Amino acid sequence: MQKALSKRKYVIVLIFYITGILFVMRLFYIQIIDRSYLLSANSNVLRHITQYPARGLIYDRKGKLMVYNEATYDLMVIPRQVKNIDTLELCRLVGIDLPTFRDRMKKIREYSVYRPSVFEKQISKEAYGFLEEKLYKYQGFYVQPRTLRKYGKPIAAHTMGYVGEVSPDICESDPYYKSGDYIGISGIEKSYEENLRGHKGAKIIMVDVFNREKGSFQDGKYDTIAEMGKNLYASLDMEIQEYGELLMTNKKGSIVAIEPSSGEILALVSSPTYDPNLLVGRVRSFNYNILAQDSLKPLFNRALQATYPPGSTFKLVHALVGLQEGVLNLQTRYGCSMGYSFGSVHVGCHAHGGPLDLIGSIAISCNAYYCNVFRTILDNSEFPNQAEGYRTWRNYVTSFGFGSRFDTDIPNVLSGFIPRNEYFDKYYGKNRWKFLTIISLAIGQGEILTTPLQLANLAATMANRGYYYTPHIIKAVGDLNHQQEKYREKHTVPISRQYFEMVVEGMYQVVEYGTAHYYKMDSIPICGKTGTAQNPHGKDHSIFIAFAPKDNPKIAISVIVENAGFGATWAAPIAFLMIEKYLKGSIAKKEVEERMINGNLMNVK
Amino acid sequence: MREERNIFRNIDWILVFLYLALVVIGWINIYAAVYNEQHGSILDFSQRYGKQMVWIITSIVIALILLMMDPKVFTAFSYFFYGISVLSLLVVLLIGKEVSGSKSWIDLGGFDLQPSEFAKIGVNLAVARYLSTLNIRMEDFRTKVNTFMLIGIPAILILFQDDTGSALVFSAFIFVLYREGLSGNVLIIGALVIVLFVVALMINKWIIISLLGVVAVVWFFLIKKNRRDVISLLGLFVLVAGFVYSVDFAFHNVLEDHQKQRINVLIGKETDLKGAGYNVNQSKIAIGSGRFFGKGFLEGTQTKYNFVPEQSTDFIFCTVGEEHGFVGSVIVIGLFVGLFVRLVNAAERQRSGFARIYGYGVASILFIHFLINIGMTIGLAPVIGIPLPFISYGGSSVFAFTILLFIFIRMDANRLQLV
Ligand SMILES: [Zn+2]
C-alpha cells in the first residue's frame, strides 16, 4: 500500500514542474516576445521634454538690443497619465469653464493619448506660480517653458517680421518642426530663421507614479542640449529708425536710408506701421486680423513692396547714360518753353529761366531737357534704330539695380518694372513704337516702376560715384565681427566716375539753389533730387532722394510721401531731417521737424 | 554526543543552500525595491531592507536553535502547537489590528505579528501527527472528516479576518492528502471545478447548461442504456448544471464588487487599467520591461518609482523580473521548483510517517504560495495578497517559513536514527 502511494510523488513533482514551465513560458512571452510592456514602462516613467532654445537676439548697429525674449509657460498634458484631478480647480486656474475643458481634452485625446499636447498656451504668470506649487496634484499635466519675442521699442515692425506657430504644411515638409513650434513668418525672423531658432534639445527625465521628477534617464546619455539661436547684428540704427517712424506719423509712405560704403540699411520705415509687440503670443492672430482688415494696410511694407514711378529722380540716370554714351556733355543746353512738344505730343514743365545746361537741368529739374536727352540716347547713330537704343539704355538702368530683385536678406523685396523691348513690341507691335511712344519714361513716369529701396540704392550709387553694395539689413550673424561675406561684393555701374561727379554736382545744386533749396542746411553739404510720382488714383506722391555729406558720404536716402504732391514739399524736408539726425544727432530747425511730425496726409487722396 | 555531531553531517545542505539563496535574493530585491538615494546605507533600520536584514539574521539563529532541538519535541507537541495556533487566530479576531483591509495582525510593540503565517506550521504538524497515528487510514470516512476539520477550522478563522489569500493556502494540503491515499479524482475534480468556475463566469450560464445538455444527450446514445448509467448520467448533468448556476448566482449575489472586479480582470472580461486591473497591469509592465537580462540592479524604474504597488511584499517578483530580466526570473523559479522537488524527495526517504507527511506539507504550502504569488504578478492568477516565501518583505512570513522549513530539515537530519 505505502509502496503504491509513494508513486504518487511523481504526480506531485510533475505538477511542480508543469507550474514552473508554465511560468517560464509566460515570462518568455511577456519579457521577450511582447514588446508592448517595455513601451508601456517607458511611457510610465520617461517624459521626453523638448528643450526649446531661446531665439537669437537682435541688436542694432550700435549694439543696442532691439529684440529679445520673454519667458512664458505652456501647460502641457499627457492624457493617459491624467488621473484623479480636481478638474474644477484646474479650470479656475486656467480660466476656462468645464465644457471647454472637456472639449479640449476630447480633442487632445483624439490626437494622442500618450504624447504630450499643449493644453493651454502661454498661461498667465499667476496661474504658473500657482500651478508650479500644485502640479503634483494634477497628474498628467506639466509646464513647458517657452519664450516669446519682446520688442523694447515699438519700431521696425515690418523689418523684424513676426514669429508664429508653424503651419501644418511646414511641419510635414521639414522634420525639424513639430506641431506647436514657433517659426519666423515674415521679415528678418523669416529670412534668418535657421540662425535665430538655434537647436532644440531633448531631455529625457524619469517620473514616478505621482508624476514627480526623479532625475534624468540613464544619466542623460540620450539628452541633447538646446543650443541658443545665434544673435543678429542689424545694420539698422534704432535711433533714426524711430525718428523716421516719428516723422512719418499720419503719412503714407516710406523712408529707406543706406550707408553707401557698405550697403547697410540704416533705417527702413514703412508708414503706417504697428507695434510689433501686437503680433506676439496668444493675442497674435486676433491683432493680426485687425491689422489685416485695416484699410490703411499697416502690414504692407511699402519700403520694399510698393512700386512707384520714380519721377524726376530718374533724370539722374538719364544724365549718366547720356554722358557715358557721348550724346550729352556738361555744356549741352536745351531750351524749354513750358515743356517739350513734338507734333501732338506735349510734356509739360514748370516756368524757369533757360536754356539750361546739364547742372542746371538737374537743379531745376527741367522736363524738356530730359525729353531731349532721352531722345538722343535712343537716336544714337551707333544703333540701327531706336529700339536698339532703348535696349542699351535699359541695360544701363538695370545695372543700378532697377527692374530686378535684390538678392538680399529681407524677404519679399519686389523688383519694380523696367520694360524690356519685348514688352513694348507686344504692347504696340514690333517696330510700332519709338521715342515719342515712350516719351514719359524721360521724366520717370509711364511704365517704369521702382521701389523705395531701389531709389535709396540709386542715392547710394550716386554717393559712391558709380557702384553699390546690395542693400541688406543684417551686418553680422553670431558675432559682430563676423560680417556677412555675401554683401561685400561691389556692383559697379558701367559709367565713368567723372560723369558721376558731374551729376553729383547737379544734385548738390538741387539743394544749393534748385528745387529743394528751401530746406538747405549750411552745416551739411547735401546732394539730392526731387521727384513726383504721378498717381492716376489721386494726388501725386512726393519723392526725394539724397546723400550726405557730398564728399565721403555717410548716408543715402529715399523718402516717399504718398499723396503729398511735389517732391520738395514733404519728402525733401523729411530726408533732410533724417540726414541731420543721423549725422549731427540733433535737429537745428525745430519748427520744420514739428511741422513734419504733425503733418497729417492720411486722408488726402 | 555522537548524535550531536551527526546532526550537522546529516543535514540536507542542498535544502539549506536553496533556503539561503532565496533569502539573499529576497533581501537584494527588497533593497532595490525601496532604494532611494537618501537612504543608501544597507544598515538603515528605518528602511525595510534594514529590518528585513534583522529578520533574516534572527531567522538563521532560530534555524540553528531548531537544528539543536530534539526532533521528538515536534511530534510530542504538535497538537499543542496546533492549539496555540488556533487560539492566536481567535485572539487576533478579538484584538487584531487592521492593515489594508485584513484584520490579521497583533501589535507586539514594534513588531506586527501575523498569526496566520504561523498557523500553517501548527496545522502541518497536527495533520502529520494525526495521519501518522497507527490505525488511521485515509480511506476511512472518519479520517477524512477529522482531517478536513483540522485544516478547515484555522482556515475559516483566517477567512473571518478577511484574509482570503492566507486561507486559500490551506488548500495546499490536498497534495498531502493525495499522497496519503485520498483518491486521485480529488485532484481531477478540483481542476475541473476551477475550469468550470472560470467558464461559468465567462460565458452565459444558459449557454453552458444547454451545451452540457447536448453532451449528456450524445453520451446517452453512446452508452449501454442500462438504468444505473442513465440515472448517474442524469445525476451528473444536474450536478454540473447546478454548479454552473450557483457559481453564476454566487458571483452576482454573494461576492462584493471589488472581488467581482478582480475576477473579471483576471478572466479578461474587464480591462479597467486604472481600477482593479491597475496592479496586475503595472506588475506585468514591470516584469515585461525587464526583457532578457533585465535593467540591472537598482535600475528598475517601475518598481522604484512606485508604479507597482506593494513592491516589497506581494509584488516583490516584479523587481526580480524588471531588474534581472528573464534570466533572473527563471533562476528564481528554478530555485523554487528545485526546493519543492528536493523537499518531496527528502520526504519520501523518511522512515517515519510523521516526518514524511510534514515534509509534503512544507513542499505543498510553499508551492501554493509560489503558485498564487508569481501567478498573480504575471497575470495568471487573481490578485491575492500572499507573500512569496523567503523573498517577500515581512518579519512574520520570514520567521514562519524558516521555522516551517527547518523543522523538516531537523527531522530529515535524524532520518537514519530509529524512531
Ligand atoms: Zn523746363
Side-chain angles (χ1 to χ4, degrees):
Chain A
M1 187 63 196
Q2 225 9 278
K3 200 98 184 153
L5 285 177
S6 72
K7 288 255 162 49
R8 292 191 167 186
K9 171 185 107 171
Y10 297 109
V11 175
I12 292 167
V13 167
L14 188 70
I15 290 171
F16 293 165
Y17 280 129
I18 288 173
T19 305
I21 289 165
L22 271 176
F23 282 2
V24 168
M25 280 163 60
R26 174 70 173 172
L27 283 166
F28 187 81
Y29 177 74
I30 66 172
Q31 293 188 301
I32 292 163
I33 294 175
D34 192 343
R35 286 187 64 86
S36 73
Y37 294 109
L38 180 64
L39 299 178
S40 303
N42 288 345
S43 93
N44 263 347
V45 285
L46 300 187
R47 170 97 17 97
H48 291 256
I49 295 189
T50 307
Q51 304 282 90
Y52 288 98
R55 221 173 151 77
L57 308 176
I58 305 177
Y59 294 92
D60 87 338
R61 67 186 294 108
K62 288 176 179 158
K64 282 190 210 155
L65 195 54
M66 293 185 83
V67 186
Y68 55 98
N69 303 305
E70 206 181 37
T72 172
Y73 303 91
D74 287 353
L75 182 61
M76 309 292 290
V77 63
I78 301 173
R80 205 189 80 91
Q81 296 175 350
V82 175
K83 47 188 163 234
N84 310 325
I85 62 160
D86 185 343
T87 314
L88 278 175
E89 194 185 46
L90 188 68
C91 286
R92 214 180 52 239
L93 280 176
V94 178
I96 54 171
D97 57 9
L98 204 54
T100 314
F101 177 89
R102 295 211 180 102
D103 199 44
R104 263 189 220 178
M105 283 308 284
K106 190 169 161 255
K107 277 192 192 125
I108 289 170
R109 263 179 226 283
E110 275 163 15
Y111 162 69
S112 171
V113 192
Y114 293 93
R115 271 184 286 177
S117 297
V118 177
F119 181 78
E120 174 82 358
K121 266 177 231 162
Q122 298 145 34
I123 52 171
S124 69
K125 287 208 173 68
E126 301 78 62
Y128 171 67
F130 199 78
L131 272 173
E132 202 187 23
E133 274 174 44
K134 304 263 167 129
L135 210 57
Y136 70 94
K137 276 167 62 180
Y138 301 103
Q139 280 185 50
F141 284 88
Y142 66 97
V143 166
Q144 169 100 60
R146 299 293 294 267
T147 58
L148 281 184
R149 282 311 218 193
K150 183 82 188 163
Y151 304 85
K153 283 190 169 166
I155 56 167
H158 299 98
T159 312
M160 294 303 146
Y162 54 88
V163 171
E165 245 173 65
V166 69
S167 70
D169 291 352
I170 296 174
C171 258
E172 225 163 86
S173 60
D174 188 337
Y176 178 85
Y177 297 99
K178 299 273 170 291
S179 174
D181 283 4
Y182 292 135
I183 187 171
I185 294 177
S186 74
I188 296 173
E189 299 280 13
K190 182 182 181 185
S191 51
Y192 286 90
E193 165 69 12
E194 283 186 25
N195 300 103
L196 287 169
R197 74 185 182 192
H199 285 282
K200 277 189 289 191
K203 197 173 150 200
I204 309 175
I205 58 156
M206 298 190 289
V207 292
D208 72 2
V209 70
F210 304 112
N211 210 17
R212 290 179 299 214
E213 286 193 24
K214 285 291 173 182
S216 63
F217 176 60
Q218 298 213 349
D219 294 326
K221 202 160 87 185
Y222 301 104
D223 292 2
T224 50
I225 294 166
E227 207 176 294
M228 191 191 158
K230 288 200 171 100
N231 294 340
L232 298 183
Y233 296 90
S235 59
L236 291 182
D237 183 315
M238 268 174 93
E239 218 173 316
I240 70 154
Q241 174 73 32
E242 188 180 13
Y243 187 62
E245 292 188 16
L246 179 67
L247 291 174
M248 291 300 285
T249 314
N250 289 324
K251 294 161 204 76
K252 282 180 275 181
S254 59
I255 303 174
V256 180
I258 298 176
E259 183 181 67
S261 61
S262 62
E264 290 168 10
I265 296 171
L266 302 169
L268 195 69
V269 177
S270 172
S271 183
T273 183
Y274 59 93
D275 181 347
N277 289 307
L278 288 176
L279 296 186
V280 169
R282 47 202 270 166
V283 293
R284 191 178 72 82
S285 56
F286 176 78
N287 286 333
Y288 185 89
N289 285 336
I290 292 179
L291 291 172
Q293 282 160 20
D294 191 327
S295 61
L296 296 171
K297 296 189 187 171
L299 291 172
F300 180 52
N301 190 348
R302 288 176 159 77
L304 308 176
Q305 292 174 304
T307 53
Y308 307 89
S312 300
T313 58
F314 221 61
K315 288 171 182 165
L316 302 175
V317 180
H318 288 305
L320 287 166
V321 176
L323 288 166
Q324 181 69 25
E325 284 293 296
V327 297
L328 181 67
N329 62 49
L330 215 45
Q331 280 74 43
T332 308
R333 283 170 193 273
Y334 292 107
C336 171
S337 45
M338 291 304 279
Y340 178 91
S341 294
F342 193 95
S344 61
V345 178
H346 177 78
V347 177
C349 190
H350 53 98
H352 58 81
L356 298 167
D357 63 359
L358 178 63
I359 304 289
S361 74
I362 296 170
I364 301 300
S365 197
C366 175
N367 285 347
Y369 194 95
Y370 285 92
C371 289
N372 285 300
V373 171
F374 190 47
R375 181 179 51 78
T376 54
I377 292 169
L378 301 193
D379 271 346
N380 195 336
S381 56
E382 279 176 35
F383 311 119
N385 54 41
Q386 288 191 337
E388 284 313 299
Y390 179 80
R391 199 186 297 279
T392 308
W393 174 84
R394 188 181 183 280
N395 287 341
Y396 280 113
V397 171
T398 52
S399 72
F400 285 86
F402 291 112
S404 62
R405 228 175 283 235
F406 288 117
D407 179 19
T408 184
D409 55 358
I410 341 165
N412 308 320
V413 174
L414 290 196
S415 61
F417 185 60
I418 308 293
R420 291 176 184 277
N421 287 42
E422 292 73 21
Y423 174 86
F424 291 126
D425 287 347
K426 201 176 163 193
Y427 195 83
Y428 298 108
K430 200 159 172 75
N431 301 322
R432 299 285 300 276
W433 57 278
K434 52 187 197 309
F435 160 67
L436 277 179
T437 328
I438 57 170
I439 191 168
S440 49
L441 270 60
I443 55 166
Q445 310 292 351
E447 287 86 354
I448 54 174
L449 290 170
T450 57
T451 65
L453 179 66
Q454 286 170 329
L455 291 177
N457 190 57
L458 172 62
T461 313
M462 299 310 301
N464 290 333
R465 276 73 163 172
Y467 62 88
Y468 69 89
Y469 295 100
T470 302
H472 57 278
I473 206 87
I474 297 299
K475 280 163 77 88
V477 176
D479 175 1
L480 188 53
N481 299 320
H482 210 276
Q483 299 266 332
Q484 301 212 82
E485 269 315 301
K486 181 178 165 187
Y487 301 120
R488 300 301 304 151
E489 190 196 337
K490 200 188 241 184
H491 300 273
T492 308
V493 174
I495 292 170
S496 305
R497 188 182 172 94
Q498 51 165 327
Y499 301 133
F500 271 97
E501 293 292 3
M502 294 172 189
V503 176
V504 163
E505 182 56 31
M507 288 176 77
Y508 182 61
Q509 298 305 334
V510 167
V511 181
E512 281 297 299
Y513 71 89
T515 47
H517 78 281
Y518 186 80
Y519 298 101
K520 180 190 170 203
M521 265 179 286
D522 293 325
S523 57
I524 307 166
I526 298 177
C527 301
K529 181 72 195 79
T530 52
T532 307
Q534 286 176 2
N535 176 13
H537 309 291
K539 200 174 173 194
D540 290 347
H541 306 313
S542 173
I543 304 179
F544 192 73
I545 69 169
F547 67 86
K550 186 184 178 196
D551 296 311
N552 198 13
K554 297 278 180 251
I555 178 170
I557 193 167
S558 77
V559 177
I560 293 180
V561 184
E562 290 185 11
N563 312 116
F566 183 54
T569 50
W570 289 95
I574 287 174
F576 283 30
L577 288 166
M578 288 292 285
I579 290 169
E580 193 180 4
K581 182 81 175 178
Y582 183 64
L583 295 179
K584 299 285 180 195
S586 62
I587 302 299
K589 290 186 203 161
K590 288 286 181 195
E591 68 281 0
V592 178
E593 181 183 49
E594 216 162 286
R595 194 152 52 82
M596 288 302 127
I597 294 169
N598 294 332
N600 187 340
L601 300 171
M602 263 325 184
N603 300 315
V604 179
K605 290 275 152 91
Chain B
M1 269 343 262
R2 202 175 64 89
E3 198 186 68
E4 290 287 306
R5 254 179 284 119
N6 279 346
I7 287 167
F8 285 94
R9 194 182 299 161
N10 294 331
I11 281 177
D12 191 318
W13 288 108
I14 292 178
L15 283 178
V16 175
F17 164 77
L18 289 169
Y19 164 78
L20 288 174
L22 288 170
V23 165
V24 169
I25 287 171
W27 185 83
I28 289 171
N29 284 291
I30 290 165
Y31 181 79
V34 300
Y35 174 81
N36 67 40
E37 278 80 2
Q38 280 99 51
H39 302 276
S41 162
I42 56 165
L43 291 173
D44 187 335
F45 297 119
S46 71
Q47 296 295 309
R48 289 192 157 186
Y49 46 80
K51 290 181 186 165
Q52 182 81 352
M53 175 81 100
V54 173
W55 294 329
I56 290 171
I57 292 166
T58 315
S59 295
I60 290 169
V61 174
I62 292 170
L64 285 170
I65 292 167
L66 285 171
L67 292 177
M68 303 294 187
M69 281 167 71
D70 185 341
K72 288 191 191 84
V73 173
F74 307 131
T75 329
F77 287 91
S78 48
Y79 288 135
F80 176 71
F81 289 137
Y82 180 80
I84 289 183
S85 298
V86 172
L87 203 66
S88 65
L89 288 174
L90 281 168
V91 168
V92 87
L93 275 178
L94 297 175
I95 60 157
K97 152 173 147 182
E98 196 170 310
V99 176
S100 56
S102 300
K103 199 178 180 187
S104 47
W105 307 80
I106 297 176
D107 190 347
L108 289 183
F111 182 79
D112 286 337
L113 188 85
Q114 199 181 358
S116 55
E117 292 294 335
F118 294 95
K120 294 162 202 161
I121 306 167
V123 175
N124 198 23
L125 284 169
V127 168
R129 172 76 187 272
Y130 178 67
L131 291 179
S132 61
T133 314
L134 275 170
N135 299 326
I136 290 289
R137 286 153 40 89
M138 201 66 231
E139 295 80 48
D140 296 343
F141 183 70
R142 235 191 115 69
T143 311
K144 283 178 190 153
V145 171
N146 288 342
T147 314
F148 281 117
M149 293 265 282
L150 275 179
I151 301 163
I153 290 167
I156 286 164
L157 286 175
I158 292 170
L159 266 181
F160 280 131
Q161 300 169 6
D162 273 331
D163 187 358
T164 327
S166 296
L168 213 60
V169 168
F170 288 90
S171 63
F173 285 101
I174 205 153
F175 294 112
V176 180
L177 302 185
Y178 168 70
R179 167 60 185 83
E180 294 307 314
L182 196 67
S183 164
N185 292 340
V186 175
L187 286 183
I188 295 165
I189 289 168
L192 273 176
V193 163
I194 293 171
V195 169
L196 257 180
F197 180 80
V198 172
V199 170
L201 293 176
M202 286 176 83
I203 306 168
N204 184 296
K205 58 178 182 275
W206 298 117
I207 296 176
I208 306 170
I209 291 170
S210 321
L211 281 172
L212 287 171
V214 172
V215 171
V217 169
V218 171
W219 205 329
F220 172 76
F221 286 111
L222 290 177
I223 57 170
K224 277 185 245 148
K225 292 173 188 67
N226 70 51
R227 212 162 163 216
R228 254 185 78 187
D229 287 351
V230 172
I231 288 171
S232 42
L233 181 66
L234 205 66
L236 195 68
F237 170 72
V238 170
L239 200 72
V240 172
F243 176 75
V244 169
Y245 188 86
S246 49
V247 163
D248 189 71
F249 179 83
F251 183 77
H252 289 109
N253 300 294
V254 179
L255 288 186
E256 287 180 30
D257 277 347
H258 71 276
Q259 290 167 320
K260 272 191 231 172
Q261 253 189 348
R262 284 179 184 182
I263 292 169
N264 274 341
V265 166
L266 179 75
I267 61 178
K269 250 182 158 177
E270 219 174 288
T271 46
D272 172 21
L273 297 183
K274 277 176 188 163
Y278 176 82
N279 293 355
V280 179
N281 188 51
Q282 290 299 337
S283 162
K284 283 194 283 183
I285 287 171
I287 295 171
S289 66
R291 314 292 293 162
F292 194 75
F293 287 112
K295 295 175 186 167
F297 180 53
L298 299 184
E299 298 294 329
T301 51
Q302 307 303 303
T303 45
K304 204 160 60 176
Y305 299 149
N306 305 319
F307 287 94
V308 176
E310 306 290 335
Q311 69 270 52
S312 59
T313 54
D314 296 345
F315 284 92
I316 188 68
F317 190 69
C318 294
T319 309
V320 179
E322 189 184 12
E323 297 199 344
H324 307 289
F326 181 68
V327 174
S329 309
V330 169
I331 288 173
V332 169
I333 287 169
L335 288 172
F336 270 113
V337 173
L339 177 70
F340 307 148
V341 173
R342 184 77 192 170
L343 276 170
V344 167
N345 284 329
E348 280 298 340
R349 72 188 174 198
Q350 303 302 316
R351 287 188 186 180
S352 83
F354 178 79
R356 180 185 67 243
I357 296 165
Y358 184 85
Y360 265 98
V362 175
S364 306
I365 290 167
L366 294 178
F367 172 72
I368 289 292
H369 274 268
F370 165 83
L371 179 77
I372 293 175
N373 182 284
I374 295 185
M376 164 185 80
T377 59
I378 57 182
L380 292 179
V383 177
I384 293 169
I386 57 170
L388 186 59
F390 313 121
I391 308 267
S392 286
Y393 166 82
S396 291
S397 100
V398 174
F399 293 159
F401 286 121
T402 303
I403 295 167
L404 183 74
L405 178 65
F406 275 86
I407 287 175
F408 178 71
I409 292 177
R410 176 65 191 91
M411 292 193 290
D412 178 60
N414 218 37
R415 67 186 178 275
L416 300 174
Q417 253 88 56
L418 286 170
V419 186

